[in-house]
mmCIF file of all heavy atoms in Angstrom:
data_model
loop_
_atom_site.group_PDB
_atom_site.id
_atom_site.type_symbol
_atom_site.label_atom_id
_atom_site.label_comp_id
_atom_site.label_asym_id
_atom_site.label_seq_id
_atom_site.Cartn_x
_atom_site.Cartn_y
_atom_site.Cartn_z
ATOM 1 N N HIS A 14 0.717 63.649 -53.250
ATOM 2 C CA HIS A 14 -0.365 62.651 -53.462
ATOM 3 C C HIS A 14 -1.393 62.872 -52.387
ATOM 4 O O HIS A 14 -1.208 62.700 -51.247
ATOM 5 C CB HIS A 14 0.203 61.187 -53.537
ATOM 6 C CG HIS A 14 -0.778 60.207 -54.121
ATOM 7 N ND1 HIS A 14 -0.401 58.986 -54.653
ATOM 8 C CD2 HIS A 14 -2.068 60.392 -54.563
ATOM 9 C CE1 HIS A 14 -1.341 58.409 -55.146
ATOM 10 N NE2 HIS A 14 -2.444 59.194 -55.123
ATOM 11 N N SER A 15 -2.643 63.216 -52.871
ATOM 12 C CA SER A 15 -3.717 63.278 -51.957
ATOM 13 C C SER A 15 -4.989 62.779 -52.748
ATOM 14 O O SER A 15 -4.916 62.281 -53.793
ATOM 15 C CB SER A 15 -4.043 64.805 -51.545
ATOM 16 O OG SER A 15 -4.597 65.526 -52.654
ATOM 17 N N ASN A 16 -6.136 62.801 -52.017
ATOM 18 C CA ASN A 16 -7.375 62.324 -52.695
ATOM 19 C C ASN A 16 -7.714 63.133 -53.961
ATOM 20 O O ASN A 16 -8.402 62.684 -54.854
ATOM 21 C CB ASN A 16 -8.620 62.359 -51.729
ATOM 22 C CG ASN A 16 -8.497 61.323 -50.736
ATOM 23 O OD1 ASN A 16 -7.693 60.269 -50.958
ATOM 24 N ND2 ASN A 16 -9.197 61.375 -49.657
ATOM 25 N N ARG A 17 -7.318 64.366 -53.980
ATOM 26 C CA ARG A 17 -7.708 65.333 -55.026
ATOM 27 C C ARG A 17 -6.673 65.570 -56.111
ATOM 28 O O ARG A 17 -6.902 65.855 -57.282
ATOM 29 C CB ARG A 17 -8.096 66.671 -54.340
ATOM 30 C CG ARG A 17 -9.237 66.607 -53.383
ATOM 31 C CD ARG A 17 -9.604 67.956 -52.847
ATOM 32 N NE ARG A 17 -10.682 67.904 -51.753
ATOM 33 C CZ ARG A 17 -10.374 67.772 -50.566
ATOM 34 N NH1 ARG A 17 -9.189 67.732 -50.069
ATOM 35 N NH2 ARG A 17 -11.369 67.697 -49.634
ATOM 36 N N HIS A 18 -5.314 65.556 -55.724
ATOM 37 C CA HIS A 18 -4.322 65.813 -56.625
ATOM 38 C C HIS A 18 -3.173 64.910 -56.497
ATOM 39 O O HIS A 18 -2.817 64.375 -55.407
ATOM 40 C CB HIS A 18 -3.784 67.302 -56.422
ATOM 41 C CG HIS A 18 -4.865 68.273 -56.471
ATOM 42 N ND1 HIS A 18 -5.416 68.767 -57.664
ATOM 43 C CD2 HIS A 18 -5.430 69.056 -55.553
ATOM 44 C CE1 HIS A 18 -6.287 69.601 -57.372
ATOM 45 N NE2 HIS A 18 -6.346 69.814 -56.150
ATOM 46 N N VAL A 19 -2.477 64.599 -57.624
ATOM 47 C CA VAL A 19 -1.236 63.882 -57.571
ATOM 48 C C VAL A 19 -0.223 64.524 -58.523
ATOM 49 O O VAL A 19 -0.609 64.968 -59.619
ATOM 50 C CB VAL A 19 -1.484 62.378 -57.909
ATOM 51 C CG1 VAL A 19 -2.023 62.179 -59.365
ATOM 52 C CG2 VAL A 19 -0.123 61.663 -57.803
ATOM 53 N N ILE A 20 0.997 64.662 -58.087
ATOM 54 C CA ILE A 20 2.041 65.234 -58.934
ATOM 55 C C ILE A 20 3.255 64.251 -59.006
ATOM 56 O O ILE A 20 3.744 63.809 -57.939
ATOM 57 C CB ILE A 20 2.546 66.591 -58.470
ATOM 58 C CG1 ILE A 20 1.360 67.539 -58.350
ATOM 59 C CG2 ILE A 20 3.660 67.164 -59.367
ATOM 60 C CD1 ILE A 20 1.836 68.857 -57.613
ATOM 61 N N PHE A 21 3.574 63.697 -60.203
ATOM 62 C CA PHE A 21 4.679 62.831 -60.271
ATOM 63 C C PHE A 21 5.538 63.149 -61.401
ATOM 64 O O PHE A 21 5.170 63.779 -62.420
ATOM 65 C CB PHE A 21 4.182 61.402 -60.421
ATOM 66 C CG PHE A 21 3.252 61.029 -61.542
ATOM 67 C CD1 PHE A 21 3.654 60.283 -62.572
ATOM 68 C CD2 PHE A 21 1.919 61.440 -61.534
ATOM 69 C CE1 PHE A 21 2.890 59.871 -63.637
ATOM 70 C CE2 PHE A 21 1.015 61.048 -62.521
ATOM 71 C CZ PHE A 21 1.503 60.376 -63.504
ATOM 72 N N MET A 22 6.866 62.815 -61.284
ATOM 73 C CA MET A 22 7.988 63.247 -62.261
ATOM 74 C C MET A 22 8.710 62.028 -62.716
ATOM 75 O O MET A 22 8.653 61.018 -62.037
ATOM 76 C CB MET A 22 8.870 64.257 -61.639
ATOM 77 C CG MET A 22 8.285 65.498 -61.294
ATOM 78 S SD MET A 22 9.520 66.713 -60.529
ATOM 79 C CE MET A 22 10.523 66.930 -62.024
ATOM 80 N N GLY A 23 9.376 62.204 -63.893
ATOM 81 C CA GLY A 23 10.124 61.148 -64.275
ATOM 82 C C GLY A 23 11.165 61.610 -65.427
ATOM 83 O O GLY A 23 11.096 62.777 -65.848
ATOM 84 N N ILE A 24 11.871 60.613 -65.904
ATOM 85 C CA ILE A 24 12.801 60.962 -66.995
ATOM 86 C C ILE A 24 12.338 60.211 -68.243
ATOM 87 O O ILE A 24 11.796 59.077 -68.212
ATOM 88 C CB ILE A 24 14.262 60.363 -66.658
ATOM 89 C CG1 ILE A 24 14.234 58.887 -66.314
ATOM 90 C CG2 ILE A 24 14.826 61.177 -65.490
ATOM 91 C CD1 ILE A 24 15.623 58.328 -66.100
ATOM 92 N N PRO A 25 12.485 60.860 -69.405
ATOM 93 C CA PRO A 25 11.930 60.379 -70.652
ATOM 94 C C PRO A 25 12.630 59.091 -71.096
ATOM 95 O O PRO A 25 13.757 58.822 -70.744
ATOM 96 C CB PRO A 25 12.169 61.539 -71.623
ATOM 97 C CG PRO A 25 13.252 62.315 -70.970
ATOM 98 C CD PRO A 25 13.149 62.225 -69.558
ATOM 99 N N LEU A 26 11.874 58.262 -71.894
ATOM 100 C CA LEU A 26 12.412 56.952 -72.301
ATOM 101 C C LEU A 26 12.696 56.924 -73.833
ATOM 102 O O LEU A 26 13.251 56.027 -74.248
ATOM 103 C CB LEU A 26 11.360 55.874 -71.902
ATOM 104 C CG LEU A 26 11.205 55.612 -70.422
ATOM 105 C CD1 LEU A 26 9.934 54.670 -70.185
ATOM 106 C CD2 LEU A 26 12.405 54.967 -69.850
ATOM 107 N N LYS A 27 12.212 57.954 -74.498
ATOM 108 C CA LYS A 27 12.526 57.988 -76.042
ATOM 109 C C LYS A 27 14.007 58.067 -76.283
ATOM 110 O O LYS A 27 14.719 58.706 -75.418
ATOM 111 C CB LYS A 27 11.764 59.140 -76.693
ATOM 112 C CG LYS A 27 10.209 58.895 -76.726
ATOM 113 C CD LYS A 27 9.533 59.987 -77.599
ATOM 114 C CE LYS A 27 9.791 61.324 -76.989
ATOM 115 N NZ LYS A 27 9.075 62.444 -77.690
ATOM 116 N N LYS A 28 14.387 57.495 -77.366
ATOM 117 C CA LYS A 28 15.846 57.602 -77.728
ATOM 118 C C LYS A 28 16.268 59.019 -77.923
ATOM 119 O O LYS A 28 15.535 59.818 -78.562
ATOM 120 C CB LYS A 28 16.004 56.725 -79.065
ATOM 121 C CG LYS A 28 17.507 56.603 -79.343
ATOM 122 C CD LYS A 28 17.673 55.735 -80.607
ATOM 123 C CE LYS A 28 19.109 55.485 -80.990
ATOM 124 N NZ LYS A 28 19.318 54.686 -82.156
ATOM 125 N N ASN A 29 17.437 59.386 -77.373
ATOM 126 C CA ASN A 29 17.921 60.754 -77.402
ATOM 127 C C ASN A 29 17.121 61.778 -76.675
ATOM 128 O O ASN A 29 17.250 62.994 -76.913
ATOM 129 C CB ASN A 29 18.173 61.124 -78.873
ATOM 130 C CG ASN A 29 19.202 60.282 -79.527
ATOM 131 O OD1 ASN A 29 20.211 59.839 -78.955
ATOM 132 N ND2 ASN A 29 18.948 59.987 -80.901
ATOM 133 N N SER A 30 16.157 61.318 -75.937
ATOM 134 C CA SER A 30 15.200 62.325 -75.283
ATOM 135 C C SER A 30 15.853 63.030 -74.125
ATOM 136 O O SER A 30 15.278 63.992 -73.656
ATOM 137 C CB SER A 30 13.951 61.642 -74.809
ATOM 138 O OG SER A 30 14.277 60.656 -73.884
#
Side-chain angles (χ1 to χ4, degrees):
H14 201 161
S15 72
N16 287 343
R17 300 181 183 91
H18 304 286
V19 61
I20 304 172
F21 56 109
M22 294 182 66
I24 56 175
L26 292 169
K27 290 188 295 185
K28 191 176 181 180
N29 298 322
S30 62

